[in-house]
Amino acid sequence: MEESMNTKYTGVKGTRDFIGKDLRKRNYLLITLKSCFESFNFQELQTPSFEKLETLIGKYGDEETNLMYKIISSGEKVKKADIQALKDGDLTNFSNSISDKGLRYDLTIPLSRFVRDQKNFLRTPFKRYQIQNVWRAERPQKGRFREFLQCDIDTIGKSSYHNVVESILLCDMVFHKLGFKKLKLRINDVGILYTFGMNLGLSTTIDLTVSPQSSYQDFASLLDKKDKIGLDKIIEKLDGPPFVDDSPVGNDARGLKSVIYYLTLKGTPQEKLNDISEYVDPSWGGVGQLEKVFSALSKVKLKVLDIDLDFCLARGLNYYTGIIMEISSPDEMPIGSIVGGGRYDDLVNKGDKNTSGFGISFGFDRIKLIMDELNLFPESTNNPNSFLFLNFGEELSHEILKYITELRYSGIVCELYPNDIKMKKQLDYANDKKFDFVILFGLDEHKKNEFTIKDMNTGKQKSHNLSKIVDEIKKLS
């Protein structure tokens, strides 16, 4: 039985309804993710859908803050509205003046708030997973929604390379269980990016006195476009304006030559790491951490993931402070990353070494889209055979109810039509709802102590002794 849906949608743009087979696939993916998370002893956490605005504001960049859904205050609080800000066109301050709460933008900030609240009671390392909806006021388009499910795992405690190793092993298990054959995991360290920036003479802080075109942020963002524009295009842009200019922070030929050497370096992750180890400032510690990660993983045979030390990988520069990683979609369906994350030291409690964190986020919707396209969902996500018992009056429907109950306890999908109406209308209902079989137990069947099974796909029907009703239906389920 499958529920059909009208293509017309009158809900809010960027949101969706789920039903039937699509929802079963989502639930299968959820169950698989949760099973893997819990096998690594991650504990589920759920937080409220909205937080105090003071908790959310200032934790993201301006662009992200503008995409946050704010909840308008009610009652007396509305009187505090900053009308002057509205007249001046300062919509951010105006909206803040009439709101003190907002829908969560991601799951990391609610986690940080939870850890701060419970810091005297939590034992570290604290390992949590969270699978809940988040909301962003983005312009809806294909693959981009205003409400979507986010799946995160994080470990809070003293920084350890084992957090990275465990996260990689968990990803390998998840994608193996989901039926993926081969995926590339790219890994890098913020310290390596920082070293590139220093050798190019670029600013490594957001400084208003520095030309934004030649800032470290722009350099790192350019590197992260490798999948879109290619490495050759990146090198071409680095060797010309706006990165080469007359400003004090413009790069020089020697610095650029060394950066290009490492960006084009080939080999295994360990070979690349050996080559770059003397180039990176050892005080960052990133190379040493990567060395331990690769050493640990060399003892385990990964089933799906192929690891690449990619010096172009640059993500979350506003908050990641160490190792960063990303898993790309398979070559058969190149739609971007499906997992991403990294080390963050100051997001929970600034300066507290005991609340460093390492976390990754799974792109739930992208993973489901790929599994649909590559037919990776098992047959079990299809509807099991379903049975509609026709209603031939109060007495007969009561008599058949005990068999229906027994079948339901055996996990068989059964429904008794609730009204004694014409058989044609009941059969129309069965067709509309796509029931596989219809069970008839009318006066004729009752006199013969029989029941009839009608196959709705072929139209064939067959009668059996009533005592065999459970066994016969089980054979078809």
Side-chain angles (χ1 to χ4, degrees), residues 124-344:
T124 58
F126 172 59
K127 300 172 69 175
R128 85 86 172 87
Y129 76 86
Q130 192 168 354
I131 305 176
Q132 289 185 280
N133 278 338
V134 297
W135 293 268
R136 297 179 184 178
E138 304 207 60
R139 184 171 63 87
Q141 53 186 289
K142 186 176 181 180
R144 180 167 291 182
F145 305 99
R146 288 172 171 170
E147 177 187 60
F148 59 93
L149 198 66
Q150 194 161 323
C151 307
D152 288 8
I153 63 163
D154 289 82
T155 301
I156 306 296
K158 285 188 176 181
S159 176
S160 170
Y161 73 91
H162 281 294
N163 303 150
V164 185
V165 174
E166 289 277 276
S167 296
I168 292 173
L169 292 175
L170 188 152
C171 288
D172 195 58
M173 175 186 281
V174 165
F175 289 111
H176 175 66
K177 288 195 171 185
L178 291 176
F180 287 79
K181 300 302 180 185
K182 187 175 181 181
L183 293 171
K184 177 176 282 190
L185 182 147
R186 299 188 297 152
I187 193 168
N188 197 10
D189 190 275
V190 170
I192 294 173
L193 295 172
Y194 178 89
T195 304
F196 287 158
M198 290 293 291
N199 281 295
L200 290 175
L202 302 176
S203 169
T204 54
T205 59
I206 300 174
D207 187 344
L208 296 178
T209 64
V210 175
S211 169
Q213 285 84 5
S214 57
S215 71
Y216 168 69
Q217 290 278 346
D218 285 325
F219 162 70
S221 296
L222 176 62
L223 292 187
D224 207 35
K225 293 178 181 176
K226 186 178 81 168
D227 286 345
K228 294 181 180 178
I229 65 175
L231 187 56
D232 290 342
K233 195 68 176 177
I234 289 175
I235 293 172
E236 179 186 324
K237 285 181 174 290
L238 286 175
D239 200 19
F243 289 98
V244 174
D245 53 34
D246 297 328
S247 71
V249 296
N251 63 33
D252 60 74
R254 288 173 300 170
L256 178 61
K257 186 176 180 180
S258 64
V259 169
I260 290 176
Y261 169 78
Y262 286 111
L263 293 182
T264 56
L265 191 63
K266 298 190 182 302
T268 67
Q270 189 61 59
E271 289 169 347
K272 290 182 181 179
L273 194 63
N274 293 340
D275 203 320
I276 204 170
S277 59
E278 295 182 5
Y279 177 77
V280 178
D281 187 340
S283 66
W284 273 90
V287 169
Q289 290 285 298
L290 285 170
E291 174 73 47
K292 292 177 181 179
V293 169
F294 296 151
S295 175
L297 290 175
S298 70
K299 308 298 182 183
V300 182
K301 183 173 177 59
L302 297 176
K303 298 179 183 297
V304 177
L305 298 179
D306 180 20
I307 298 178
D308 178 34
L309 178 56
D310 187 347
F311 299 132
C312 283
L313 179 63
R315 58 179 293 122
L317 299 174
N318 290 326
Y319 46 88
Y320 286 139
T321 55
I323 290 176
I324 50 179
M325 57 180 266
E326 186 172 284
I327 297 177
S328 302
S329 59
D331 294 339
E332 308 96 289
M333 196 175 176
I335 58 173
S337 65
I338 53 178
V339 176
R343 164 72 55 194
Y344 50 88

Side-chain angles (χ1 to χ4, degrees), residues 114-116 118-124 126:
F114 175 82
V115 172
R116 288 194 299 272
Q118 306 296 327
K119 65 180 179 181
N120 294 327
F121 303 97
L122 282 181
R123 292 290 299 270
T124 58
F126 172 59

Side-chain angles (χ1 to χ4, degrees), residues 64-75:
E64 289 84 357
T65 299
N66 289 334
L67 294 176
M68 196 179 298
Y69 279 108
K70 298 171 184 176
I71 301 173
I72 297 177
S73 302
S74 58

Side-chain angles (χ1 to χ4, degrees), residues 432-450:
D432 289 344
K433 300 282 282 189
K434 294 184 172 57
F435 277 93
D436 300 288
F437 298 92
V438 162
I439 308 300
L440 296 89
F441 184 63
L443 288 174
D444 290 342
E445 285 83 9
H446 183 260
K447 288 175 183 177
K448 298 176 184 178
N449 198 35
E450 292 179 346

Side-chain angles (χ1 to χ4, degrees), residues 378-408:
E379 286 295 320
S380 59
T381 57
N382 294 325
N383 244 346
N385 282 340
S386 52
F387 301 81
L388 177 67
F389 287 73
L390 300 191
N391 192 321
F392 290 95
E394 188 173 296
E395 183 179 341
L396 295 177
S397 64
H398 288 182
E399 187 171 339
I400 206 73
L401 200 56
K402 63 181 178 182
Y403 300 114
I404 295 175
T405 301
E406 184 176 347
L407 289 165
R408 285 170 173 165

